[in-house]
C-alpha cells in the first residue's frame, strides 16, 4: 500500500466519521463554541447540516479514490 492510497483511506474513513459525529453532536468534529458568529447568523441546525455535508463530501471523494478507477 502506497502513501496516496493510505491518505485516500484516511479521507474516506475520516469523512464518514465526521459526518456521523457532526450529526450526533460529538464536539470533536464540530465545536459550536468556536462557531458562535456563524451560528448566530445562520442557526445551529443549518451550520451543523453544512458541516456534516462537507464531511460527507470528503468521505465520498475518498471513497471514489479508493473504490473507483
Amino acid at each position: 500500500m502506497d502513501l496516496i492510497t493510505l491518505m485516500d483511506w484516511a479521507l474516506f474513513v475520516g469523512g464518514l466519521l465526521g459526518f456521523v459525529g457532526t450529526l450526533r453532536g460529538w464536539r470533536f468534529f464540530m465545536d459550536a463554541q468556536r462557531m458562535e458568529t456563524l451560528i448566530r447568523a445562520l442557526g445551529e441546525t443549518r451550520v451543523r447540516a453544512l458541516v456534516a455535508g462537507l464531511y460527507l463530501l470528503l468521505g465520498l471523494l475518498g471513497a471514489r479514490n479508493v473504490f473507483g478507477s
Side-chain angles (χ1 to χ4, degrees):
M1 180 180 297
D2 59 343
L3 181 61
I4 298 300
T5 305
L6 184 63
M7 290 171 60
D8 287 336
W9 272 101
L11 187 65
F12 171 57
V13 172
L16 291 182
L17 282 174
F19 175 71
V20 171
T22 301
L23 292 180
R24 293 189 50 98
W26 297 341
R27 189 173 174 194
F28 180 78
F29 294 104
M30 186 186 130
D31 189 3
Q33 293 175 348
R34 292 185 175 189
M35 306 174 97
E36 287 183 28
T37 306
L38 192 59
I39 288 174
R40 267 188 264 127
L42 299 175
E44 186 173 353
T45 305
R46 285 185 180 159
V47 172
R48 188 170 303 279
L50 179 66
V51 172
L54 291 174
Y55 274 122
L56 182 62
L57 183 66
L58 289 175
L60 291 174
L61 180 65
R64 182 187 64 106
N65 291 340
V66 169
F67 302 116
S69 53

